[in-house]
Amino acid sequence: ARLGDLARKFPTFPTKLARVSSYSLSSCYYRSFHLTMAEPAAKRSKIEDNERDGVLSELLSNGWKMVDGRDAIIKKFRFRDFNEAFGFMTRVAIRADKMDHHPEWFNVYNRVDITLSTHDYSGLSHRDVTLAKFIDEVAQ
């Protein structure tokens, strides 16, 4: 089995194992598993209609807004200066990279606008919620 196949079958399986996803598991299991292990993946499923209110209510009350015309959330942040905004973006970028989940963002001087949506699902997923909660923690 290839690592990508395992990741699809077992969503909690780490998505990055020492960047050896092109090798078969039988030939590199020991070596790759002990070199490095990615942070456990956030739940990867799309947010279903019946759970949407419960999952998104905390974020919406925290300043996130639904994007018109698409299944995504957006929040606009303001900082004292560019240095503070860039530091915030760096912390978010490091976490997003570990999650293998990257935001859409726009930055001008002290403003950072972040839009979250999961392209694989053409809409919001639990990974977006996990990243949004982290973003709110970092912005404080």
Side-chain angles (χ1 to χ4, degrees):
R2 295 212 179 265
L3 291 175
D5 297 333
L6 287 172
R8 280 188 291 282
K9 289 179 185 175
F10 305 99
T12 58
F13 190 80
T15 56
K16 293 181 185 174
L17 295 176
R19 302 189 186 273
V20 293
S21 59
S22 62
Y23 298 104
S24 70
L25 185 60
S26 60
S27 67
C28 68
Y29 176 80
Y30 180 82
R31 184 180 72 231
S32 67
F33 207 87
H34 289 87
L35 284 174
T36 184
M37 186 138 157
E39 208 174 85
K43 190 173 178 183
R44 295 176 180 262
S45 61
K46 184 172 183 171
I47 297 173
E48 301 297 333
D49 291 337
N50 62 345
E51 62 182 340
R52 190 168 280 272
D53 289 341
V55 171
L56 295 178
S57 63
E58 179 185 346
L59 296 177
L60 296 175
S61 67
N62 238 0
W64 290 88
K65 297 181 182 346
M66 296 300 299
V67 175
D68 290 333
R70 101 183 241 221
D71 192 22
I73 54 176
I74 187 168
K75 188 168 181 180
K76 299 176 183 230
F77 298 89
R78 300 294 177 264
F79 299 94
R80 283 180 289 172
D81 54 26
F82 177 74
N83 188 37
E84 190 174 290
F86 193 82
F88 164 77
M89 291 176 66
T90 301
R91 289 188 295 278
V92 172
I94 290 168
R95 175 60 64 96
D97 194 51
K98 286 181 180 179
M99 292 176 65
D100 195 27
H101 188 60
H102 304 94
E104 299 171 24
W105 52 18
F106 176 78
N107 166 243
V108 174
Y109 186 62
N110 68 335
R111 293 182 321 161
V112 179
D113 301 345
I114 300 179
T115 303
L116 297 175
S117 183
T118 302
H119 301 287
D120 292 344
Y121 299 114
S122 299
L124 289 169
S125 75
H126 291 276
R127 295 171 81 193
D128 297 307
V129 172
T130 301
L131 187 55
K133 287 179 180 179
F134 174 78
I135 289 168
D136 283 341
E137 288 175 24
V138 170
Q140 294 179 359

